[in-house]
């Protein structure tokens, strides 16, 4: 296995590890992150959103629409998770659905359109004579 492939899998594993750490043991993960002031998490959220936007931009500029469709589909978990976070942490269901639920629907529609538009053509059956 090439070093680049190994490192790619390590990036994936790290993302899962840190993401699940925050979901399953938020206080412990937050302490390990090193930010004492909760306002610092606005920076963290902003940087992550910018990284997502840059990922999409790179795929768009490289005309990798099918890959972008899969990335957008996978990242639909972001507004879905945001919606659930608002509902379970003091926000109203109406607001959560209006803002984050509608964003999730838009992201899912976008992923569907990207994947459908770039789906490989099915081979046509050749009539036998």
């Amino acid at each position: 296995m090439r070093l680049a492939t190994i490192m790619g899998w390590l990036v994936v594993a790290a993302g899962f590890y840190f993401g699940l750490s925050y979901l399953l043991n938020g206080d412990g993960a937050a302490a390990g992150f090193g930010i004492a002031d909760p306002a610092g998490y606005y920076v963290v959220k902003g940087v992550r959103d910018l990284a997502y936007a840059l990922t999409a931009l790179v795929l768009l500029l490289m005309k990798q629409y099918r890959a972008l469709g899969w990335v957008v589909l996978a990242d639909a978990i972001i507004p879905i998770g945001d919606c659930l976070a608002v509902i379970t942490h003091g926000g109203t269901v109406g607001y959560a659905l209006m803002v984050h639920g509608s964003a999730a629907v838009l992201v899912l529609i976008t992923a569907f359109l990207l994947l459908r538009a770039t789906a490989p053509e099915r081979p046509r059956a050749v009539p036998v004579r």
Side-chain angles (χ1 to χ4, degrees):
M1 190 178 297
R2 293 180 18 189
L3 180 60
T5 303
I6 293 169
M7 296 305 289
W9 279 108
L10 286 174
V11 167
V12 170
F16 276 112
Y17 173 78
F18 290 118
L20 289 172
S21 292
Y22 274 94
L23 291 174
L24 300 175
N25 181 16
D27 291 336
F33 194 86
I35 294 178
D37 179 4
Y41 285 103
Y42 298 137
V43 176
V44 173
K45 171 91 169 102
V47 169
R48 286 193 169 89
D49 286 351
L50 287 172
Y52 169 69
L54 287 171
T55 300
L57 177 63
V58 167
L59 292 171
L60 275 172
L61 293 176
M62 294 178 66
K63 299 184 184 331
Q64 297 295 317
Y65 304 113
R66 187 152 181 83
L68 177 59
W70 286 110
V71 167
V72 170
L73 180 62
D75 286 341
I77 196 169
I78 295 169
I80 293 168
D82 292 348
C83 185
L84 292 172
V86 170
I87 291 169
T88 59
H89 289 87
T92 66
V93 172
Y95 188 84
L97 293 175
M98 180 178 66
V99 174
H100 305 292
S102 65
V105 169
L106 180 63
V107 169
L108 289 168
I109 290 170
T110 302
F112 172 78
L113 292 172
L114 284 164
L115 290 170
R116 185 164 184 239
T118 60
E121 288 188 30
R122 295 181 185 179
R124 295 184 193 183
V126 179
V128 178
R129 294 181 190 212

